[in-house]
Amino acid sequence: MLDLINVAYDTQIPNNVGLSSDKRVLKALEKWHPGYINWWNDLGPDGFQESLVYLRTAVSVDPKGWAKFDYVKMPEYRWGILLAPQAEGRTIPCGEHVGQPAWQEVPGEYRNMLKRLIVIQGDTEPASVEQQRHLGKTAPSLYDMRNLFQVNVEEGRHLWAMVYLLQKYFGADGREEADDLLRRTSGSEEAPRMLGAFNEATPDWLSFFMFTYFTDRDGKMQLESLAQSGFDPLSRTCRFMLTEEAHHMFVGETGVGRVIQATCEAMKEAGIDDPYDIEKVRALGVIDLPTIQKKLNLHYSLSLDLFGSEVSTNAANAFNAGIKGRYQEAKIDDDHQLHSDTYPVIQLKDGKIVWEDVPALSAINMRLRDDYVRDASGGVKRWNATIEKTGVQFEMKMPHQGFYRHIGVFADANVDPDGAIISKEEWDAKKDEWLPTKADGDFIQSLMKPVWEPGKFASWIAPPRVGIDNKPGDFEYVKLHMA
Amino acid sequence: MSKRIDFQVDPENYRHWRVDYEGDVAKLYMDVDEKGGLFDGYELKLNSYDLGVDIELSDIVQRMRFEHPEVKAIVLQSGKERVFCAGANIRMLGGAAHSHKVNFCKFTNETRNTFEAAGQESGQHYICAVRGACAGGGYELALACDHIILADDGSSNVALPEVPLLAVLPGTGGLTRVTDKRKVRRDRADVFCSIEEGVKGKRAAEWNLVDEVVANSRFDETIAERAKEFAARSTRAAASEGVKLTPLKRTFNDNGVTYSTIEVDIEREKGLVTITIKGPDGDAPASIDAIAAEGADAWILRAARELDDAILHLRLNELELGTWVIRSQGDPAAVLAHEKVVTDNADHWLANEILLYWKRVLKRLDVTSRSLVALVEPGSCFAGVLAEVLFAVDRSYMAEGDFEGDNRHVAAITLSDNNFGRFPMANDLTRLQTRFLGEPGKVDEAKGRIGETLEAYDANELGLVTYCFDDIDWEDEVRIFLEERTSFSPDAMTGMEANLRFPGPETMETRIFGRLTAWQNWIFQRPNAVGENGALQRYGTGVRGDYDMRRV
Ligand SMILES: [Fe+2]
Ligand SMILES: [Fe+2]
């Protein structure tokens, strides 16, 4: 009998989908595999392919013990195909087919829509690995380096997950799309990644933490809504990806938190009370709080752009088709069809920001973005608690959702972080107060010096409270092998 | 739709397009202003277009020919990142009246035809460089170009998603050009037209949906190379300076429009409009250079522009004027003299463009869904190019002999060489060949009478007019006919006329205006597309169209 909880290692590709008896898909995946390994070697973490990294590998989809920790060379990581267990009698959670049995095969009429969603999701997974490939060299500790690589291999696995769906359910087209996922490259002139934020550079570690906190969280929200898909294999895939994604959020939240903590503690120790005394603070070898706020502003607004237009036909179609739900669809108390419901959407009318009720179906993106904003505000509160504890007078804030936007209703407007609509002149004059400047970037870059001694941390980041897998503080998370 | 749609635009104020002129190459950028829709209720997102966008394009194509005779290759590109053009704006279509949809499609079709023909006819080749999504009407724009380059970046694609997405057809030539022009295998065309996401990369070239796919890094370079090649291949006659298409002088009032050479008189309660074409005053220009010096003021160009504008205005803005009565007044000899300067210099770029323009205006008349009637009266000047109007209309009535108390010259028709090949119809035949499909000898017979003043008796013998009436019968016969005509169902008239006007061979053009358009217009009436629960109405709501699954 097929063991659908534990991972089978009887094929080259660990899986819990009975791959060894699915010759067609196995063959397709095996054909795709060398290209993937090439991609990982060419565009994955630069300079650390031979190092032994203390990584967790999924061995089961049982929530109680799904991962096993051990040293592994990244190119030998067992990227597997893991789907959350099938829920007995699951039904389509939303849209016009609500209540009907969930699809186990792709419904022909939604094939293209599904494929597009999977391709877009799949495109983001390897993109962040590419964006982060140079960071290992400036890791502020082995602990952080290991976390980076953990995130990277798991994003690699998420790519596998999407590729499996493409190859299993979408025939020749799916195989072609799977190949193209390796062809597009972040920031490439030739063939860029599909979404804007995934073509931006991740130049330093603060950017990395902000990225995992804000941008990965968009990924989380997308996965949350795909986990509500009536197409069961997609739902199961995303449900399992979310368990891994939690770690990425953790890396982001604690990363930013530790940077803030190091700054506040250094300020206290040096007797600096004014967080805006930037030069003095920077002289301590830490990143001043206003600059952290600027980084937050940037990453938050880029991430909001990933939700697309507030009012969206594609999102409406996907929801109504039952192939993409809302965040925690099952917990929402309505008819899950939204035929006559409305939802308030932010709009720009005659130079004023107003809220307008629009048909709820067309506001699916807006709703997911609202859920995201709530979700993202939790960590910001905890960062502020950290600041408060040290006695420094400063508060991190998420800027207004109209600030520095390139997609949606605010794309052409100039909005300050408090939500006031301002002139182009005022924007130009003030934007350096709100967004990182070249000089800010240069300063952060100047701090990016590797610290690779076990148990040691760069000056600008505090050590974590607990180790990964409960390891002691001086644990050697990465056994470097430098050529 | 109470506001008047104006087909005259000021090139200084384009909202949706940008043109850079670089010697013999022009770069045309589509950069649609989202907020620049012709009507309220929709935004022109993702370079989608409405009639207003197309009016500007049409103006650019026209000016390219007259004001920029040095241009031999035009590169059509998107001015936006990551999207080429998403096609006709769907919300606009969803909200538009049936008549507007039909008129919109007709006009866009005419514009596509115009720049498609520009390469062969006048050595201005359109090259389409696609980066980003190119869907529906966007791909139809590309299809009408001489060459399509597609970026091979893993996401740029071409698509005709109308059927799966909207339950309508790619009706601006899309289906027809895929099979007739690009000769895509019919089963592949079937696949292509049924998939929303279209085709990208190598396969697009393999299926001949595009001419070449090039790596992103070579995209600009390739465009420049192709533009050079096409410019080098161009047969366009050398030209230094263009002719400025100055603003038309016209005045609108409740009862019509007054142009310098055209008078439009509306009799609203009768559902009638009379269009009077005025022949030239004064002597013909001495040479083609004299015409060039006169520029847009030259009668032969001015009359074409004004007639064109009048046709478009009446088509789009005066839906209830179902019957057009076309008259002319002036000296036939003068018309012929003006025409001759142009015809004798047909290899001069400007003469060529003027003749081609008349060809387009006459074709516009051919596909106008109104009952077209010509009255050849005393004092009229149906000669040469203007005589061609008589063969475009559904019926012509000619006055016979002297009319009491009327001292104008007796009604007559004069043919010129131009009636025998210069102005082919969409079916590639001349109007006289089409008229005499069953009696080809009549064409030769008429040809033998070129230059003669053909009064009613001769015109009738030659079969050039429908009826001749003398002074006694004229007024009553014409009145009774018009009363009868205007009483018929406009739908039946449109259908009957469209069928009777284009006998003979099919061409890509007749298939676009006939077969494709007719099917599209049928679908535009069907609940599956436009009903309350149809795909077009529901587009954007997230709810799919509800289809009546019975085949008709
Ligand atoms: Fe991921
Ligand atoms: Fe992630």
Side-chain angles (χ1 to χ4, degrees), chain B residues 372-397:
Chain B
L372 302 176
V373 184
L375 301 184
V376 188
E377 300 157 307
S380 64
C381 56
F382 287 109
V385 60
L386 295 189
E388 197 69 14
V389 171
L390 301 177
F391 315 131
V393 299
D394 300 301
R395 284 196 204 181
S396 52
Y397 286 75

Side-chain angles (χ1 to χ4, degrees), chain B residues 466-532:
Chain B
T466 315
Y467 290 114
C468 298
F469 296 108
D470 61 16
D471 189 17
I472 301 166
D473 292 331
W474 175 259
E475 211 165 306
D476 257 4
E477 289 288 348
V478 170
R479 179 184 58 78
I480 289 166
F481 161 65
L482 290 175
E483 283 176 6
E484 175 196 62
R485 191 70 170 193
T486 51
S487 72
F488 287 140
S489 153
D491 298 339
M493 280 301 101
T494 295
M496 180 186 91
E497 290 154 2
N499 276 283
L500 299 183
R501 283 179 200 174
F502 298 94
E506 289 275 18
T507 62
M508 187 169 82
E509 208 174 313
T510 60
R511 277 168 39 75
I512 288 171
F513 282 116
R515 192 185 298 243
L516 180 58
T517 301
W519 281 114
Q520 177 79 313
N521 292 349
W522 176 69
I523 290 170
F524 274 163
Q525 291 285 15
R526 297 276 299 161
N528 289 339
V530 298
E532 206 186 325

Side-chain angles (χ1 to χ4, degrees), chain B residues 337-447:
Chain B
H338 280 251
E339 184 191 61
K340 190 169 185 304
V341 185
V342 175
T343 320
D344 285 352
N345 293 284
D347 50 0
H348 185 282
W349 77 268
L350 179 58
N352 183 41
E353 287 303 346
I354 291 173
L355 290 167
L356 289 169
Y357 189 22
W358 270 105
K359 173 171 142 186
R360 293 197 293 278
V361 175
L362 289 162
K363 279 187 178 189
R364 216 190 284 285
L365 202 55
D366 289 333
V367 296
T368 293
S369 56
R370 300 288 193 281
S371 292
L372 302 176
V373 184
L375 301 184
V376 188
E377 300 157 307
S380 64
C381 56
F382 287 109
V385 60
L386 295 189
E388 197 69 14
V389 171
L390 301 177
F391 315 131
V393 299
D394 300 301
R395 284 196 204 181
S396 52
Y397 286 75
M398 188 163 182
E400 194 171 357
D402 287 310
F403 274 46
E404 203 186 316
D406 191 332
N407 60 1
R408 293 172 299 177
H409 61 257
V410 169
I413 298 168
T414 322
L415 299 175
S416 76
D417 278 333
N418 286 343
N419 302 115
F420 298 88
R422 183 70 70 184
F423 307 118
M425 298 173 63
N427 61 10
D428 254 352
L429 301 180
T430 65
R431 285 180 187 74
L432 284 174
Q433 281 170 331
T434 306
R435 187 176 183 85
F436 297 122
L437 205 58
E439 320 162 75
K442 299 288 270 186
V443 179
D444 295 328
E445 205 182 316
K447 202 170 180 176

Side-chain angles (χ1 to χ4, degrees), chain A residues 18 43 78 210 224:
Chain A
L43 295 170
R78 305 290 310 257
M210 289 291 182
E224 287 277 6

Side-chain angles (χ1 to χ4, degrees), chain A residues 159-194:
Chain A
L159 171 61
W160 273 91
M162 294 297 125
V163 163
Y164 166 73
L165 292 176
L166 288 171
Q167 295 187 332
K168 165 112 179 134
Y169 295 101
F170 295 89
D173 280 359
R175 284 198 296 279
E176 244 169 65
E177 293 290 0
D179 291 342
D180 278 352
L181 287 173
L182 293 179
R183 200 160 84 81
R184 287 184 294 268
T185 310
S186 176
S188 153
E189 278 286 302
E190 227 23 84
R193 291 291 172 192
M194 296 167 96

Side-chain angles (χ1 to χ4, degrees), chain A residues 125 155 158 245:
Chain A
E125 308 290 357
E155 298 304 1
H158 293 173
E245 210 60 58

